[in-house]
Amino acid sequence: MTHDTYNGWTNKETWLANLWLSDYFIQEIEDGQSISAAHIKDTINNMLADSPDIWGLFSDLLNTAVSSIDCYEIASHYQESE
């Protein structure tokens, strides 16, 4: 079974998370922060917690998309560039 990728990333959700957060993570690296999968997941979850209330269908869709993000893949991208 082949695994489809999106722009070289595991999936579109992972690609989008990195696209939108890359400047933030690069700044954190420059400030001495280590970028781990747990840190990425916490960052995304904190952003969700600070978002306006989303409910029903849209909440389910957003949570499904967020759960598809491969935080380990993003972290390894930044660990290789350190």
Side-chain angles (χ1 to χ4, degrees), residues 7-53:
N7 286 342
W9 293 85
T10 298
N11 55 38
K12 188 172 186 176
E13 294 81 4
T14 302
W15 174 76
L16 282 169
N18 184 65
L19 177 71
W20 281 96
L21 298 174
S22 62
D23 289 342
Y24 177 77
F25 292 137
I26 289 168
Q27 183 61 54
E28 286 197 320
I29 290 169
E30 290 173 358
D31 293 341
Q33 173 73 41
S34 178
I35 306 299
S36 66
H39 177 69
I40 293 167
K41 185 174 184 172
D42 288 344
T43 298
I44 293 169
N45 286 332
N46 289 337
M47 292 173 80
L48 282 172
D50 291 340
S51 297
D53 289 336

Side-chain angles (χ1 to χ4, degrees), residues 47-63:
M47 292 173 80
L48 282 172
D50 291 340
S51 297
D53 289 336
I54 300 171
W55 54 272
L57 170 64
F58 298 108
S59 174
D60 288 346
L61 289 170
L62 180 59
N63 287 323

